[in-house]
Amino acid sequence: MSGGDRSLVLALFGAVGVVTLAITCWAGRRVGGGRRVSSEEFFAGGRLFSPLENGFAIAGDHMSAASFLGVSGLVALYGYDGMLYAVGFLAAWLVVLFFVAEPVRNYGRFTLADVLAARLRERPVRIALGTSSVTVSVLYLVAQLVGAGSVVALLLGDPGGAAYTWTVLGIGGLTVCHVACGGMRATTWIQIAKAVLLMGGALTLSVLVLLRFGGDLADLLTSAAEHSGHGADFLTPGLQYGRSGWVAKFDFVSLGLALLLGTAGLPHILARFSTVPTARAARRSVVWSTVLIGGFHLMALVLGTGAAALVGTDAVRRSSPAGNTAVPLLSFELGGGAGTTGGVVLFALVAAVVFATVLAVVAGVTLAASAAVAHDLYESSAGRRRQGKAGRWQTLQEGTDRRARGQKPEDGQSGQSGQGGPDDRSEVVVARRAALIVGALAVGVSLPARELNVAFLVGLAFAVAASAHLPVLLYALFRRRFTTRGAVWAVYGGLLSSMVLVALSPVVSGAPRALFPGVDFACFPLENPGVVSIPVGFLCGWLGTVRSRERPDEGRYAETEVRSLTGAGAV
């Protein structure tokens, strides 16, 4: 890239940063200057977002740089097999829509642990789920920061220089500012703005690709197959999976299970259901997000196929073996080639979209991690005072009832976007400090991890979420005789089994692209542990329940079942 090209890209990065900071300042004023903020306002934005707004925010939370660059790159490299990733990401929302969205909104308050605390012993459940939520969030954060730093450095033409370091530091610093100052309100509007920008950029490039081929999809697919180097095999299964024996086939099944089931257990996705006033609004939010995410992944397929047809699979692979530069290379081609004004403008648009995408996703994940620390781990600490808890919940319910009748909650009641009680304020203070610590930890791990296998981190985050969170969530919602020991065993069993299996897999050692290629202690053949660790999580939950001496509280289960189905008594 020339100096002028870099200047344009950096100017757009600066514009994105200024806009997000302006949103944060506006949100900070809306929540009372950032000091006396209730936990409901900080963690849930006052539950005042509409289904459409929350649907855009969920889509913005879900559509990461990995979706924009990674899925398109995989399609450009592997054709049909790459398209399966888009199908897996979209199908995951059906699980969220039918099994998770409405019950979680009715059961929970801010975090996944709230769903279980309604019927099980609170302290062990909060410690277990708080620990696993922070683990998943940090893994996801490191993956996003490493990927963003590598891609932005590559886009700026400085893959081995300071661009990576400054990108990671810049995104980390902006994210902590967004979360600490604006809470959920700022994070939500940043995600909405990012979703609009991402959809607009993807739509622009997709239309340009289709115009190149006169709107003829058959011509596009034929040209992609011809320039892929694989001929007709590009449009049939097997380029990446299915032709290397049973290990590759099981690996594909394992990855598919992790993607399909992991989305329903991601903390930052579950947190979005608490930002709307009712369960019906939560369900409609998922419908809107499914439409947006489905349209986006259709455009990702067009972009990946267009990159194979116009740029060529070999050129994409030479630029990035993982295919992450397929869309940037396509933007140059659509604009008239490298060095042309049109090419530079489209390339700068892609770079700005990537920067905004990573910034919004990292903000959402950081807020979810800080909520887990403040609302679960801090709330469950040994020295935490419990006096007045029933009174706080009664006040919370009174505020909710008044809001349902169209009245303004009284001062001090949760649901008011001004001040909360003393416990609310202490929780918000802890959350802000936790955001700083989590952000610093993620940045500190990401800086020396430039060569880390990002795909392994993302896959591990989804596998841990599917193994540790989904079993305990489904058991709590639908199993009458579920106990506290079963919940704790399910969380730790899924968490530990997934991490141990990955540590013993080829992504860590024993392979040329492993984390430690010089050693070989791999004894688990699959790269993604989902096909084993997800059943282990369900098995541990069942085993812990049958081995527990605790008698299930039938009354509390009946109460929470009615609440999950009807919303009666929901916060």
Side-chain angles (χ1 to χ4, degrees):
M1 294 179 62
S2 64
D5 298 345
R6 289 193 182 93
S7 298
L8 178 59
V9 173
L10 291 174
L12 286 176
F13 284 177
V16 170
V18 169
V19 169
T20 57
L21 286 174
I23 292 174
T24 301
C25 292
W26 167 79
R29 290 195 298 269
R30 290 289 298 272
V31 298
R35 291 186 178 181
R36 304 180 69 181
V37 183
S38 69
S39 58
E40 185 177 13
E41 175 62 52
F42 188 82
F43 294 129
R47 308 186 195 277
L48 299 176
F49 292 101
S50 68
L52 178 59
E53 292 169 344
N54 198 43
F56 266 91
I58 292 174
D61 226 347
H62 181 74
M63 296 184 299
S64 64
S67 301
F68 183 50
L69 300 177
V71 173
S72 300
L74 289 172
V75 173
L77 296 180
Y78 303 110
Y80 182 93
D81 282 9
M83 298 178 187
L84 295 176
Y85 277 82
V87 176
F89 280 122
L90 180 59
W93 285 101
L94 298 178
V95 178
V96 177
L97 176 61
F98 290 117
F99 297 104
V100 173
E102 186 172 351
V104 166
R105 176 59 190 85
N106 286 336
Y107 255 106
R109 191 181 175 200
F110 305 130
T111 65
L112 176 59
D114 289 331
V115 178
L116 278 77
R119 57 172 296 202
L120 303 176
R121 285 191 290 120
E122 186 172 359
R123 188 169 184 270
V125 165
R126 288 197 181 276
I127 292 175
L129 282 169
T131 301
S132 63
S133 295
V134 172
T135 302
V136 172
S137 299
V138 170
L139 289 172
Y140 208 86
L141 280 173
V142 172
Q144 293 294 323
L145 289 175
V146 171
S150 301
V151 171
V152 171
L154 189 61
L155 294 179
L156 293 174
D158 187 23
Y164 174 90
T165 301
W166 286 111
T167 299
V168 171
L169 289 174
I171 292 176
L174 284 172
T175 298
V176 171
C177 178
H178 297 329
V179 173
C181 298
M184 178 59 82
R185 192 181 294 271
T187 300
T188 298
W189 282 108
I190 289 171
Q191 288 162 344
I192 292 173
K194 168 256 180 152
V196 172
L197 180 62
L198 181 60
M199 294 291 289
L203 180 61
T204 300
L205 295 178
S206 298
V207 170
L208 292 176
V209 169
L210 294 175
L211 288 177
R212 281 290 189 97
F213 294 91
D216 190 343
L217 292 176
D219 189 19
L220 171 61
L221 293 173
T222 301
S223 179
E226 291 175 354
H227 292 87
S228 67
H230 300 288
D233 290 342
F234 184 78
L235 303 177
T236 59
L239 284 183
Q240 187 177 14
Y241 298 105
R243 294 187 178 179
S244 302
W246 69 270
V247 173
K249 295 178 181 179
F250 270 92
D251 225 348
F252 175 69
V253 172
S254 187
L255 178 62
L257 284 174
L259 295 179
L260 181 65
L261 302 178
T263 302
L266 291 175
H268 62 287
I269 297 296
L270 294 175
R272 293 240 52 92
F273 300 138
S274 66
T275 63
V276 289
T278 64
R280 182 171 181 267
R283 187 171 61 251
R284 292 175 59 194
S285 299
V286 177
V287 173
W288 275 110
S289 64
T290 303
V291 172
L292 294 170
I293 293 169
F296 168 75
H297 280 106
L298 286 176
M299 290 186 285
L301 299 182
V302 173
L303 296 179
T305 309
L310 299 176
V311 180
T313 298
D314 289 339
V316 172
R317 185 174 285 109
R318 285 195 301 270
S319 176
S320 171
N324 290 329
T325 57
V327 175
L329 292 176
L330 176 64
S331 66
F332 272 129
E333 181 65 29
L334 292 173
T340 64
T341 302
V344 171
V345 169
L346 285 180
F347 174 83
L349 173 64
V350 170
V353 168
V354 171
F355 187 75
T357 296
V358 175
L359 193 60
V361 172
V362 171
V365 179
T366 302
L367 181 59
S370 66
V373 172
H375 190 63
D376 295 334
L377 297 179
Y378 170 71
E379 188 75 14
S380 303
S381 60
R384 177 73 167 146
R385 291 187 177 181
R386 297 294 182 180
Q387 288 86 350
K389 182 178 178 181
R392 293 199 306 273
W393 277 96
Q394 181 179 359
T395 302
L396 176 69
Q397 187 58 52
E398 290 174 357
T400 304
D401 293 340
R402 292 177 62 85
R403 186 169 57 241
R405 295 193 298 267
Q407 302 174 4
K408 182 178 179 181
E410 298 175 355
D411 291 343
Q413 287 181 339
S414 184
Q416 182 185 9
S417 59
Q419 73 181 49
D423 293 300
D424 269 356
R425 290 198 293 272
S426 65
E427 207 170 87
V428 171
V429 170
V430 173
R432 285 172 168 157
R433 293 174 180 173
L436 177 61
I437 295 172
V438 170
L441 175 64
V443 169
V445 175
S446 301
L447 288 177
R450 182 178 304 184
E451 303 299 327
L452 198 64
N453 189 325
V454 178
F456 129 74
L457 281 175
V458 173
L460 178 57
F462 273 84
V464 171
S467 305
H469 294 170
L470 186 64
V472 75
L473 180 60
L474 294 181
Y475 275 139
L477 292 175
F478 304 112
R479 181 171 170 78
R480 181 180 299 271
R481 301 190 61 81
F482 194 48
T483 64
T484 303
R485 177 178 289 186
V488 173
W489 283 27
V491 173
Y492 288 130
L495 175 66
L496 295 176
S497 64
S498 56
M499 299 191 72
V500 169
L501 290 177
V502 166
L504 300 177
S505 73
V507 299
V508 175
S509 68
R513 298 181 61 184
L515 187 60
F516 303 108
V519 296
D520 185 3
F521 50 83
C523 57
F524 181 68
L526 305 182
E527 294 186 358
N528 191 287
V531 73
V532 176
S533 60
I534 295 173
V536 167
F538 279 99
L539 178 61
C540 289
W542 172 81
L543 188 60
T545 298
V546 299
R547 296 282 296 174
S548 175
R549 296 181 180 179
E550 175 186 356
R551 298 184 61 182
D553 191 331
E554 299 283 347
R556 294 183 70 180
Y557 174 77
E559 178 185 345
T560 51
E561 184 180 32
V562 171
R563 176 171 156 184
S564 69
L565 295 175
T566 66
V571 179

